[in-house]
Amino acid sequence: MLKNKVFDYSAQIGVIGLGYVGLPLAHACVKSGYSVMGIDTDLQKVAKLNKGQSYIADLCDADVASLFGGGKFSVSSHYGTLKSCDIIFICVPTPLNKEGQPDYNLLFKAVESTAEILSPSQLIVVESTVAPQTTEKNILPRLSKKGLLVGEDFFLAYSPERIDPGNSAYNLANTPKLVAGVTENCTKLTQNIYEQLGMFVVTVSSPAVAEMAKILENTYRDVNIALVNEMAQICSENGIDIWEVVSAAATKPYGYQAFYPGPGVGGHCIPVDSVYYTDWAQNGKIGASLVRHARDINAAMSKYVVDSLSTVLLNNGRQLSGSKVLVLGVTYKRDINDQRESPAVKLIELLSRRGALVSYHDPYVEEIKVNGRALHCSRFDKRLLNEQDCVVMAVAHKWYDLRNLSSSCALIFDLTNVTVGLGYRKNIVSLFKHNCK
Ligand SMILES: NC(=O)c1ccc[n+]([C@@H]2O[C@H](COP(=O)([O-])OP(=O)(O)OC[C@H]3O[C@@H](n4cnc5c(N)ncnc54)[C@H](O)[C@@H]3O)[C@@H](O)[C@H]2O)c1
């Protein structure tokens, strides 16, 4: 029985998609004593793992090496190897396509490949973020194609991942895990396995509730960031310092959570999940105009930053076109190597379209694509800083020494007010503050 195998650690586990979500999950399973088969269609990742190399910030090479150490982990790009697994977690990407719309192709492909090898009594758990009702309306029918009955012949559950890469305070072990099976026994089995991994499980009544909860968590952030981004622009127009406003509001001990303005929202989750939601909701009577509008505000921030930089340069006697601009940090947030949907990359694209001579540096990113072309990370040295008309502090990785920067640059445009601790410096201007006295 699967339940017994879960409790005595003899259950074989498969993890499909060994990225930011799947690899730490595989690591947690091996650490708990299970044997894990990892599947990824990216052959480079498979090769790296086989060499004991990590490609995500939350696991180091030693962690990857330890995965293989006890002979309990193997990786492959062939689904056939999953046939013998008792539990299969699906952790593949659910991105946006070129038109900015939800792209379920990778997920449905992974589900269809799983359906090919689906055997009686297997438990399939989907962790990828999806629009509400996807598990029951789109995943279940694909898995049931061969006639196996859910809740009897096989088990299916949805459990959204809430991982926050680079967050040292919250990880898989101390972030409650939402779980909902298609049937009650699907829920129970899924709860059992996550609890064996040391997680605190919260069960909900249906996959749709768990799917919607994940969407709520992330659209909540998108909407609140949009609120403060819009307010920041209005404050700037009126000479009010939004950073001081947010700090002042944050002194209220209840009923308020601080969100900070900036150059936009990036990453694989927040800007993407909002679109999965609005796309899904548009078929109903209500729509989701609030979230749609919030998304538009956040997406337009890169343009606002470029216009503001143009003003700042003009105030310093320079035109944006022809100015040398170095962007520091291109990931979607500080101290990680993930540049998906990064506002800084969008900013570089807009700057180069407006004629700026733009380069970038990021200690974690060797190359980015700018308007379809490769741009390499510049060598970070005094000469590079000295020759810039403006250095844009886009992502304040701890790697950067702000004090040294400020003494080596003619002009710094700080997008996240990270230089506030340095006190007033003539050569530093913060976004939204350039109109303030
Ligand atoms: N990154 C996060 O912080 C985060 C947090 C919560 C939820 N999520 C969600 O989790 C899911 C996975 O995100 P991620 O950040 O781990 O993505 P990722 O791109 O880092 O990793 C996904 C992996 O899946 C592989 N893959 C793609 N198609 C495949 C297929 N058909 N079969 C096997 N492997 C395949 C890719 O090569 C990649 O290595 C997404 O739905 C995402 O929205 C991500």
Side-chain angles (χ1 to χ4, degrees):
M1 236 177 121
L2 180 52
K3 187 175 162 187
N4 297 338
K5 286 181 169 183
V6 168
F7 285 126
D8 69 15
Y9 298 96
S10 65
Q12 296 273 329
I13 291 180
V15 177
I16 302 177
L18 299 170
Y20 291 91
V21 168
L23 195 56
L25 177 64
H27 185 251
C29 293
V30 172
K31 251 176 58 188
S32 299
Y34 294 101
S35 290
V36 177
M37 177 79 67
I39 301 289
D40 203 295
T41 44
D42 184 336
L43 296 178
Q44 281 182 348
K45 282 186 178 166
V46 171
K48 271 195 168 172
L49 288 174
N50 276 322
K51 279 191 222 152
Q53 292 170 0
S54 177
Y55 40 76
I56 63 170
D58 287 344
L59 291 180
C60 61
D61 289 352
D63 291 326
V64 171
S66 76
L67 269 174
F68 289 95
K72 292 217 162 212
F73 183 62
S74 57
V75 276
S76 165
S77 51
H78 301 294
Y79 275 74
T81 51
L82 291 176
K83 236 187 163 108
S84 58
C85 286
D86 300 293
I87 301 169
I88 297 173
F89 292 102
I90 299 182
C91 311
V92 300
T94 40
L96 299 179
N97 61 21
K98 278 192 185 126
E99 288 73 45
Q101 294 306 308
D103 182 354
Y104 283 100
N105 279 324
L106 296 173
L107 175 62
F108 291 163
K109 238 187 184 162
V111 171
E112 281 155 16
S113 305
T114 306
E116 295 289 313
I117 55 92
L118 189 67
S119 323
S121 85
Q122 277 181 332
L123 165 65
I124 315 297
V125 185
V126 179
E127 288 213 353
S128 302
T129 306
V130 293
Q133 301 172 326
T134 302
T135 302
E136 284 178 278
K137 284 192 176 167
N138 303 93
I139 294 174
L140 178 58
R142 283 176 165 82
L143 289 175
S144 309
K145 252 188 179 154
K146 281 198 210 151
L148 292 182
L149 202 61
V150 71
E152 287 187 23
D153 304 322
F154 77 102
F155 308 96
L156 173 63
Y158 181 73
S159 179
E161 182 46 70
R162 291 161 144 178
I163 202 168
D164 180 16
N167 189 330
S168 53
Y170 290 100
N171 49 46
L172 288 179
N174 61 0
T175 307
K177 194 87 175 94
L178 292 182
V179 164
V182 171
T183 63
E184 245 175 67
N185 52 0
C186 297
T187 304
K188 199 71 209 150
L189 278 170
T190 311
Q191 177 177 11
N192 293 153
I193 178 63
Y194 283 125
E195 284 179 349
Q196 288 298 96
L197 299 179
M199 299 182 194
F200 178 76
V201 172
V202 177
T203 61
V204 293
S205 63
S206 68
V209 170
E211 291 161 334
M212 193 77 204
K214 171 73 188 173
I215 294 286
L216 173 60
E217 290 163 18
N218 282 353
T219 50
Y220 164 80
R221 293 187 64 74
D222 212 17
V223 168
N224 279 288
I225 294 168
L227 170 69
V228 77
N229 273 337
E230 183 180 73
M231 215 173 255
Q233 294 172 63
I234 294 168
C235 279
S236 179
E237 242 175 30
N238 290 282
I240 300 167
D241 180 348
I242 184 69
W243 304 101
E244 194 182 351
V245 171
V246 173
S247 304
T251 60
K252 187 180 178 188
Y254 60 90
Y256 176 79
Q257 185 189 355
F259 285 87
Y260 298 90
V265 180
H268 187 41
C269 288
I270 298 174
V272 175
D273 300 354
S274 291
V275 179
Y276 272 70
Y277 169 61
T278 52
D279 174 76
W280 170 76
Q282 74 180 351
N283 301 323
K285 279 194 205 132
I286 313 292
S289 55
L290 173 74
V291 176
R292 203 181 284 277
H293 188 49
R295 186 82 301 278
D296 290 343
I297 290 173
N298 287 334
M301 289 311 291
S302 305
K303 182 178 177 306
Y304 178 81
V305 173
V306 173
D307 290 342
S308 304
L309 175 59
S310 174
T311 307
V312 168
L313 281 166
L314 273 179
N315 292 344
N316 282 270
R318 304 225 29 120
Q319 300 278 344
L320 177 60
S321 176
S323 281
K324 282 190 156 184
V325 177
L326 171 70
V327 174
L328 296 183
V330 292
T331 55
Y332 80 85
K333 66 174 184 175
R334 62 197 297 189
D335 304 326
I336 60 162
N337 64 357
D338 190 347
Q339 35 147 327
R340 288 177 293 180
E341 310 291 329
S342 167
V345 175
K346 207 168 146 197
L347 175 66
I348 292 172
E349 294 194 320
L350 288 182
L351 283 171
S352 66
R353 279 197 207 122
R354 296 265 296 262
L357 306 172
V358 59
S359 55
Y360 89 91
H361 173 266
D362 191 304
Y364 306 114
V365 183
E366 282 169 18
E367 185 188 297
I368 57 172
K369 280 263 173 337
V370 175
N371 300 321
R373 301 174 105 175
L375 181 67
H376 291 277
C377 178
S378 298
R379 204 186 127 118
F380 190 82
D381 55 23
K382 241 187 165 116
R383 214 186 76 189
L384 177 74
L385 298 176
N386 284 338
E387 66 192 14
Q388 303 302 319
D389 293 303
C390 185
V391 170
V392 177
M393 190 75 228
V395 184
H397 295 304
K398 286 192 201 107
W399 193 91
Y400 295 114
D401 180 335
L402 298 177
R403 234 166 254 285
N404 272 348
L405 266 180
S406 93
S407 54
S408 309
C409 304
L411 178 64
I412 295 179
F413 191 41
D414 173 4
L415 305 190
T416 55
N417 206 31
V418 73
T419 54
V420 67
L422 299 179
Y424 174 75
R425 301 212 173 187
K426 227 172 93 187
N427 65 334
I428 302 182
V429 183
S430 274
L431 178 65
F432 308 117
K433 263 195 193 171
H434 49 282
N435 288 330
C436 302
K437 295 203 175 67

